[in-house]
Amino acid sequence: MGLWVCGDIHGHLDIRKLNTEHFPMQKNMTKKDYVLILGDFGLIWDYNGISREEKNWLNWLNSKNFTTLFIDGNHENFTRLNTEYPIIDFCGGKAHQIYPSIYHLMRGEIFELAGTKCFIMGGAASHDIRDGIIDPSEWEGGIHSEGFRRKVKEFSNERKSFRVKGTEWWEEEMPTSAEMLYGVENLAKVNNKVDFVFTHCAPTSIIAQMGFYDHDQLTDYFDTLSFCIEYKEWHFGHYHQDRKIAPNFYCHYRNASWRLA
């Protein structure tokens, strides 16, 4: 029984980091071994429902020797993720079961994974929306209306950084105050002590060390937690880097072979 982590896979775009060429250790793994993706899973994405490509990749992951776990990032279809899959008890916390051996670990939960105690809080603020969100509901006919299509074409021609609400961006990307409070309450139940913290984005003080200076309610929340709880290591994705920051913070992207337990 073991626990590995890797960074964002963005649906089919970066999932090949989990093939046998890039992750050869899986040949000796079993379904009792866990590979945890640190957000931007992206294989539940198509707003029209599961696509053939998504189904093929989910079947591919499900057929692996290991069990796949993921936390949510900012690039997930939260409408589908939160409504299409059953919530089950899994390793001490709540999870959405996507496939027989694919699970979404829900926000604010604490899981027992490979003999370790792990705190999970998904979500992050998108940084590829600086020019705005286009909401199809502002036009009669929604995404099929001429006005909506004109606006998307205009933004695209001007090379603006934007996303479309309900098809490629969801406001649920950021945890609610209730979800963050729920995480605090669950940590209190274990005397504010865990082995690992797994998130998609990082605490404000850590991203400042990485050269990113934008902060928000979630990164500030993580900053407070980082000084108020005990943990051995904190692992996150989101920033498309593989590096260690400070004594015990680790950013992951391409490395799929980082074993923690």
Side-chain angles (χ1 to χ4, degrees):
M1 180 181 293
L3 174 62
W4 283 258
V5 293
C6 76
D8 319 10
I9 64 169
H10 304 110
H12 68 281
L13 295 178
D14 293 309
I15 197 172
R16 290 172 180 82
K17 69 179 75 172
L18 293 176
N19 63 24
T20 52
E21 177 185 355
H22 296 103
F23 188 27
M25 294 79 83
Q26 66 186 274
K27 296 175 184 178
N28 298 316
M29 294 167 70
T30 73
K31 289 296 186 182
K32 292 183 179 179
D33 293 303
Y34 300 117
V35 173
L36 174 59
I37 298 166
L38 296 168
D40 283 1
F41 180 68
L43 283 177
I44 301 163
W45 182 255
D46 195 319
Y47 66 93
N48 286 315
I50 189 168
S51 68
R52 178 179 296 180
E53 182 177 50
E54 289 172 1
K55 184 179 292 186
N56 288 341
W57 281 115
L58 286 169
N59 284 329
W60 180 81
L61 263 187
N62 194 60
S63 71
K64 291 292 185 178
N65 291 342
F66 53 81
T67 294
T68 300
L69 314 176
F70 70 95
I71 66 176
D72 52 271
N74 52 298
H75 292 149
E76 319 286 358
N77 183 330
F78 287 98
T79 299
R80 289 184 53 205
L81 185 60
N82 292 330
T83 60
E84 292 184 8
Y85 302 98
I87 297 175
I88 65 166
D89 293 321
F90 177 78
C91 295
K94 299 293 184 183
H96 288 111
Q97 184 167 21
I98 310 302
Y99 265 46
S101 60
I102 303 176
Y103 299 86
H104 165 233
L105 305 185
M106 297 178 69
R107 295 172 177 176
E109 298 287 349
I110 295 174
F111 297 89
E112 297 283 346
L113 302 174
T116 68
K117 197 178 299 292
C118 307
F119 174 69
I120 300 292
M121 181 61 78
S126 291
H127 298 291
D128 51 3
I129 55 172
R130 63 179 179 273
D131 293 312
I133 299 295
I134 298 179
D135 185 352
S137 68
E138 294 178 3
W139 290 270
E140 186 176 351
I143 61 173
H144 303 293
S145 70
E146 184 60 32
F148 167 76
R149 293 174 178 173
R150 226 177 8 248
K151 176 61 73 172
V152 170
K153 184 176 181 180
E154 173 192 328
F155 272 38
S156 298
N157 288 342
E158 294 175 0
R159 299 183 180 277
K160 289 188 174 182
S161 178
F162 72 98
R163 285 184 173 263
V164 177
K165 183 176 182 179
T167 66
E168 56 183 10
W169 179 86
W170 289 263
E171 60 188 354
E172 293 90 343
E173 67 176 24
M174 284 289 279
T176 63
S177 297
E179 287 174 323
M180 290 189 278
L181 178 59
Y182 179 71
V184 170
E185 292 171 343
N186 279 336
L187 284 165
K189 293 176 184 178
V190 295
N191 297 315
N192 292 321
K193 185 176 182 179
V194 294
D195 295 298
F196 299 110
V197 177
F198 297 125
T199 59
H200 185 53
C201 62
T204 298
S205 58
I206 298 302
I207 60 177
Q209 292 182 52
M210 298 174 69
F212 300 101
Y213 299 103
D214 289 340
H215 68 99
D216 53 49
Q217 183 182 12
L218 182 57
T219 65
D220 289 346
Y221 167 79
F222 288 150
D223 219 37
T224 300
L225 282 188
S226 70
F227 294 105
C228 295
I229 65 174
E230 293 183 51
Y231 52 93
K232 295 177 181 176
E233 296 175 359
W234 189 311
H235 295 263
F236 57 95
H238 192 47
Y239 304 98
H240 293 196
Q241 298 181 18
D242 292 280
R243 59 182 292 193
K244 179 180 180 180
I245 307 98
N248 53 355
F249 286 84
Y250 298 83
C251 184
H252 299 270
Y253 183 40
R254 298 201 178 278
N255 190 342
S257 57
W258 192 283
R259 183 169 184 172
L260 301 182

